Amino acid sequence: TTSLIIVAASFRTVEFGLAFKTKVKGLKKAKARFKGCNAVDCMVAFFGVGRQEAVEIGQRLLAGQLLKGQATNVFRDDSTLYSMADAVELEDAVVLHNLAEAVGVVMQRRQETLPEEAILEIHAKLGMP
């Protein structure tokens, strides 16, 4: 669950690059929403996963109630709108630090080696030396 919270919180970081849109109806401001396909694009770019794996991550976030779907409980790689749960608030530095650790764990589990330029790119995205 902690790793899902970190992933969900990363959606709000500038580095993740997810565009949120807020609609205003009269005097009432709706929650900031984003399209599922845009979240998938960002997960693919930021986490280096495939589109199907990104959809699975989105589904886990929905199941864990860290995302809310507009009239759906299924995460889709399309224009379906989603919003963040109110409880997902962490400092950017905490999110990025934990993501860096999570990437290391994933790489160890997969026993893959990345080319040096890919490692440097990940470090740059996470603000690491």
Side-chain angles (χ1 to χ4, degrees), residues 3 7 22 29 34-35 40 52 64 70 74 91 93 99 115 129:
S3 60
V7 169
T22 305
K29 188 176 176 182
F34 57 89
K35 292 181 180 179
V40 169
Q52 183 58 40
Q70 185 177 16
V74 177
E91 296 285 327
L99 283 173

Side-chain angles (χ1 to χ4, degrees), residues 79-114:
S79 61
T80 302
L81 295 175
Y82 301 91
S83 63
M84 304 298 299
D86 294 330
V88 182
E89 291 288 339
L90 292 175
E91 296 285 327
D92 287 356
V94 172
V95 172
L96 293 174
H97 173 76
N98 282 287
L99 283 173
E101 287 183 9
V103 167
V105 169
V106 168
M107 295 312 297
Q108 285 176 350
R109 284 186 185 165
R110 291 184 177 182
Q111 296 181 347
E112 295 176 357
T113 56
L114 288 174

Side-chain angles (χ1 to χ4, degrees), residues 2-3 5 9 22 33 37-38 41 46 48 53 58 60 63 75 78 90 94 100 125:
T2 303
S3 60
I5 292 171
T22 305
R33 300 189 187 280
C37 58
N38 293 344
D41 291 342
F46 195 78
E53 191 172 357
R60 281 185 254 151
F75 190 86
D78 62 16
L90 292 175
V94 172
K125 282 183 181 179

